Amino acid sequence: GRLGQHEEAYACFERIHRRLGTSIDVMYQLAKTCEALEDRRRAAKWYSLITTRVPTDGRIQRRLGELCQDEGQALHFHQEAYRYDPISLDVVAWLGYYFVKCQMYEKATPFFLRASIIDPADPKWLLLLGNCPRKMGAYEQALKIYQQAHQRFPANQEALKYLQLVCRELGQQ
């Protein structure tokens, strides 16, 4: 079945790699084939080899970050990916979510702001952006962001819910 085809493809790309040496395209196909075979370790090895030839490819850095089991390493690769590709929504979102998970809301803020600029049609980014100051107790700042979200997306129930929530929190101060 499919597994046999992927193994066959890997063997084929490996033969081509032995003949051509350092073809980045062939190494990329080897890495993708390893992913299809669910061999994360070998895929990461091929992506790492690619970064020795092309260290500034943000997509390869992102793939390495996605393959990492270790959070610290994953963060490193996503930060590298961001450095080379600051408009990748996948990378920007990953970094924002990572810092929220670590309760580092100040560090998450610029990533959600950037995401709201990259993808202005999705209200989620403004809501995540508003959550950052709200979690830090900066309710006035959160209120402004939620108001902006509600103005841009008046039909969005989530925006209305957060606007009501922050108004209640402001009333309790």
Side-chain angles (χ1 to χ4, degrees):
R2 260 228 193 301
L3 191 63
Q5 288 175 331
H6 290 305
E7 287 169 350
E8 200 176 308
Y10 184 84
C12 186
F13 283 125
E14 208 170 35
R15 283 192 300 277
I16 296 169
H17 177 69
R18 278 196 297 274
R19 285 198 192 108
L20 296 180
T22 55
S23 165
I24 291 162
D25 291 331
V26 174
M27 287 190 279
Y28 181 78
Q29 291 305 323
L30 282 160
K32 294 298 284 179
T33 306
C34 287
E35 284 190 75
L37 290 165
E38 296 180 14
D39 188 343
R40 297 168 70 92
R41 190 189 54 75
R42 217 167 26 155
K45 184 192 95 172
W46 285 111
Y47 286 129
S48 291
L49 266 173
I50 294 170
T51 63
T52 64
R53 312 292 284 161
V54 192
T56 59
D57 189 327
R59 292 166 310 175
I60 300 299
Q61 298 285 351
R62 186 186 89 226
R63 288 304 304 136
L64 278 165
E66 290 168 352
L67 289 169
C68 278
Q69 305 289 318
D70 176 70
E71 283 260 305
Q73 265 192 311
L75 173 62
H76 165 76
F77 286 120
H78 279 89
Q79 286 174 323
E80 285 298 292
Y82 179 74
R83 190 163 67 129
Y84 300 120
D85 190 8
I87 59 167
S88 165
L89 190 57
D90 290 334
V91 171
V92 170
W94 190 96
L95 288 164
Y97 287 127
Y98 173 84
F99 288 119
V100 163
K101 190 171 72 181
C102 295
Q103 297 182 349
M104 301 168 81
Y105 304 109
E106 267 179 59
K107 283 192 171 194
T109 299
F111 294 108
F112 292 135
L113 176 61
R114 183 171 288 268
S116 75
I117 293 166
I118 295 169
D119 186 14
D122 192 339
K124 159 177 73 177
W125 305 119
L126 280 177
L127 299 177
L128 287 165
L129 179 63
N131 282 341
C132 291
R134 198 181 123 252
K135 295 278 189 186
M136 295 185 293
Y139 301 118
E140 293 286 341
Q141 188 184 350
L143 176 65
K144 286 178 187 161
I145 297 167
Y146 293 141
Q147 285 172 329
Q148 184 185 355
H150 183 60
Q151 280 176 336
R152 284 186 39 201
F153 307 99
N156 185 286
Q157 292 301 303
E158 201 80 354
L160 192 57
K161 184 184 95 179
Y162 278 112
L163 196 53
Q164 292 168 336
L165 179 66
V166 80
C167 285
R168 275 197 305 275
E169 289 168 333
L170 275 166
Q172 292 171 0
Q173 279 189 317

